[in-house]
Amino acid sequence: MRESPQKKPLKPVALPWSEIDTVLLDMDGTLLDLHFDFHFWMEYVPQKYAEKNGLSVKEASQLIRQKIHSQTGTLNWYCLDYWQEQLDLPIVELKHELKHLIAEHPEVIRFLASLRALDKQVIMVTNAHRDSLAIKLEQTEIGEYFDAMVSSHDFGLPKESTQLWAHIREQTPFAPEHTLLIDDNLTALRSAREYGIAHLLCAVHVSPRLDYVDPQEFAGFEHFSQIIPS
């Protein structure tokens, strides 16, 4: 983590809104500041684990980082039940203790309201566990702007799996050729591209306290004010 994150210059994004009927939106890092999640897993959970197991915070942090790294790209990585069992900690209860840190990115509500005004179908697609999703909806105002909210846990597959998009489409129909996915997860964007979702956009500014995401082969944007439909 850097004090003053650096980023590569981004080309201006001109989304073809007239061709987009459905907008799929990630939650953590994209709509919400990722600071809450980063602080929770990298600082608060190690502190609680150290207290419980008689370890130094450094030792607990190293152990937890290893455990998290071993589950990268899997549904376990996002599963509160899994981590509650692995760490023997009340993960959901601990999340409630820090929920005051949950915050939307600037202009998110204005962006969501603009999609509603244009009568777009708006679907949240998150890898977050349903318990985590509930806490974040309680703390923010984003919930009322969605036609549907999908947790990948509902299907037992993360967004990194191309198969997930077909399951979502069966539950909430959308036309891939007229669909936009906005996400900070490059692997999720690639799986969506493989499935056939036509419009893909990377959210690069996950938190003022964290590094920018390198969008690599995808178009990227920093602030929602840059992509609000006119």
Side-chain angles (χ1 to χ4, degrees), residues 32-50:
L32 305 185
D33 189 328
L34 201 61
H35 172 63
F36 166 79
D37 298 277
F38 185 88
H39 177 70
F40 180 79
W41 290 107
M42 296 296 102
E43 298 179 31
Y44 199 61
V45 169
Q47 175 189 329
K48 294 298 181 180
Y49 190 84

Side-chain angles (χ1 to χ4, degrees), residues 109-120:
I109 297 300
R110 191 158 76 92
F111 174 73
L112 293 173
S114 72
L115 298 182
R116 170 171 285 185
L118 290 175
D119 200 29
K120 304 297 185 185

Side-chain angles (χ1 to χ4, degrees), residues 183-225:
D183 207 313
D184 65 306
N185 182 332
L186 296 177
T187 309
L189 289 167
R190 290 177 183 127
S191 75
R193 179 178 61 193
E194 184 177 342
Y195 178 70
I197 292 173
H199 305 284
L200 303 162
L201 184 60
C202 180
V204 305
H205 188 49
V206 296
S207 173
R209 298 173 177 85
L210 298 172
D211 290 348
Y212 285 86
V213 173
D214 180 353
Q216 298 187 25
E217 72 266 31
F218 298 103
F221 75 103
E222 184 176 351
H223 302 296
F224 276 89
S225 58

Side-chain angles (χ1 to χ4, degrees), residues 94-127:
L94 294 178
K95 277 183 172 273
H96 275 283
E97 292 176 5
L98 288 188
K99 65 183 182 180
H100 61 280
L101 296 179
I102 297 169
E104 304 141 4
H105 283 306
E107 303 291 339
V108 160
I109 297 300
R110 191 158 76 92
F111 174 73
L112 293 173
S114 72
L115 298 182
R116 170 171 285 185
L118 290 175
D119 200 29
K120 304 297 185 185
Q121 180 184 39
V122 184
I123 304 171
M124 180 189 291
V125 184
T126 177
N127 276 334

Side-chain angles (χ1 to χ4, degrees), residues 3 20 30 48 57 61 77 96 123-124 165 167 224 228:
E3 290 296 324
I20 296 169
T30 299
K48 294 298 181 180
V57 173
S61 179
W77 201 93
H96 275 283
I123 304 171
M124 180 189 291
W165 306 103
H167 289 304
F224 276 89
I228 291 175

